[in-house]
Amino acid sequence: MTTAHGGHAPTHPSREPGEIVDEFGTGFLRTRVRRHGRGFVWERSPGELRREPFSAVSDEVRAAVSAAVPASAPGVAGVLPVLGVPQSSARRYPAGAARSVGHLLLSALDARQRGLLHHLLYEVGRTVRRVHEGVPARLVAGRPRGAARLASWLRTTPSRTPSPTPPSDDAPHEHLPSLHALAARRLGPDRLARVLGWCDDLAAGRDGDVFLLGGVGSGALVPGAAPGAGVLLAGEELARGPAAYDVGWLLGELAEFRLVHLTRPEHAALAEHCAEAARSFLRGYGDHGTDPQALGRAAALRVFTHAHDYAAYVGWTDEFPAYLDCIAELIDTDGAAAVRPTTLETG
């Protein structure tokens, strides 16, 4: 049977799935993909360096999300947010494919495949909008975790320390102090203070805050078989905050993919593909008065948080200096290049 979201209907993911078809991860998040009937089950668990467990998902939250984005009639495309079935410290999610959109964005796709991906991103925008409008914010109390992680690091690691310091509870990976020292040199104290202020705004909360899926990213988006169909793996970082956070988070990630491709002239078409993916996502979300400055700042926070997370949970890369230069530009422009992706290559 084909589900409303385009994949073959998996059996209940709490039942033991079959053979492992892929396995990857970092110290922050581990992922194991198993074949399960005619579909797949994605099992995601906290990495060994992650300090916080996945967010709790109450029955009330599950019911509200299902009501906001109900399963459609068979054969009708759409992206369904799935909150996962607890399995010890892990979560299991039914999905129709073994590869995420994150994998596809780094792959060579033909024109038809790119068109399908843009359609899927459009549907993701619609789904995120429905969650923001339909799920009461009162169901969650936590603030956006990614921004909180970045703020904690900016506060607790001495930015003027030029050499690594021993790991601590506040610096789970030995490379964090080195990255902080590098960021202090490349970005300067004013930019770091500005970013910290953005994080504090998210932590404080405002009137109009919504229920956030949190961590909306291409690695959590799994396409289905039908055009525009798929599932968005959520439930690990549910939070309450401005709608711009969820939207900007994915825009920032797509901007990063563009930057990766723009480093090689022969990949210009792939970079444009990522830009169109961002535009499609924004079209799907719609123009409902979302503050473009807030979107851009959330996108910039996503890119900066990725740098932090890479150092904390993966390791060091010599690409950090160039990466931080891009972050500097995003900070200076309130992330405008990520919100208006056609301008990114000219920055």
Side-chain angles (χ1 to χ4, degrees):
M1 184 179 82
T2 299
T3 70
H5 299 86
H8 295 297
T11 52
H12 197 281
S14 64
R15 298 172 187 167
E16 192 60 29
E19 66 171 317
I20 298 173
V21 297
D22 202 358
E23 191 169 15
F24 52 90
T26 69
F28 185 72
L29 179 68
R30 303 292 308 174
T31 300
R32 178 176 290 169
V33 183
R34 293 176 180 269
R35 197 176 302 280
H36 197 46
R38 299 173 65 187
F40 298 88
V41 166
W42 285 56
E43 182 175 289
R44 309 217 304 179
S45 57
E48 66 276 12
L49 295 176
R50 186 172 182 147
R51 287 180 293 169
E52 293 184 331
F54 292 161
S55 56
V57 183
S58 67
D59 290 343
E60 191 175 11
V61 166
R62 291 182 186 278
V65 171
S66 295
V69 192
S72 305
V76 176
V79 171
L80 185 69
V82 290
L83 301 178
V85 176
Q87 190 74 17
S88 185
S89 62
R91 298 271 167 83
R92 286 180 175 174
Y93 307 84
R99 300 182 73 199
S100 72
V101 167
H103 289 103
L104 298 176
L105 285 169
L106 291 173
S107 304
L109 305 177
D110 60 30
R112 176 181 173 278
Q113 291 170 319
R114 292 179 191 177
L116 291 173
L117 202 54
H118 300 160
H119 185 185
L120 183 63
L121 267 294
Y122 175 84
E123 292 295 339
V124 173
R126 295 181 65 200
T127 292
V128 173
R129 183 76 195 183
R130 288 170 177 166
V131 170
H132 288 173
E133 291 184 338
V135 181
R138 62 173 174 75
L139 296 183
V140 285
R143 310 306 302 180
R145 291 190 178 186
R149 205 160 57 243
L150 181 64
S152 176
W153 170 65
L154 288 173
R155 281 198 171 91
T156 58
T157 306
S159 60
R160 296 184 185 280
T161 302
S163 59
T165 57
S168 70
D169 288 341
D170 290 323
H173 196 285
E174 61 183 351
H175 298 300
L176 279 179
S178 296
L179 179 64
H180 202 298
L182 182 63
R185 292 197 298 271
R186 307 290 287 212
L187 303 181
D190 291 345
R191 289 193 182 100
L192 294 182
R194 193 174 178 188
V195 170
L196 194 53
W198 297 349
C199 295
D200 289 344
D201 282 345
L202 288 169
R206 294 288 186 276
D207 291 341
D209 281 351
V210 302
F211 179 98
L212 296 175
L213 290 169
V216 175
S218 61
L221 176 59
V222 184
V231 293
L232 180 61
L233 315 186
E236 298 162 10
E237 296 197 359
L238 299 179
R240 178 175 181 165
Y245 184 83
D246 272 349
V247 182
W249 209 248
L250 183 53
L251 289 177
E253 191 173 291
L254 292 171
E256 281 192 67
F257 278 111
R258 290 196 76 219
L259 290 170
V260 169
H261 291 310
L262 284 170
T263 59
R264 302 179 66 177
E266 66 271 26
H267 287 181
L270 290 174
E272 173 53 29
H273 161 52
C274 293
E276 182 55 35
R279 289 191 289 267
S280 297
F281 172 59
L282 280 175
R283 281 195 295 270
Y285 189 82
D287 181 8
H288 300 271
T290 305
D291 180 2
Q293 185 183 66
L295 282 182
R297 289 178 175 180
L301 289 178
R302 170 65 185 97
V303 178
F304 203 173
T305 302
H306 190 201
H308 163 274
D309 289 353
Y310 195 95
Y313 306 114
V314 180
W316 189 261
T317 170
D318 292 338
E319 296 177 0
F320 275 141
Y323 202 83
L324 287 167
D325 290 344
C326 293
I327 291 171
E329 180 190 338
L330 287 171
I331 296 170
D332 290 345
T333 60
D334 287 321
V339 178
R340 298 192 301 273
T342 55
T343 66
L344 189 60
E345 68 272 27
T346 63

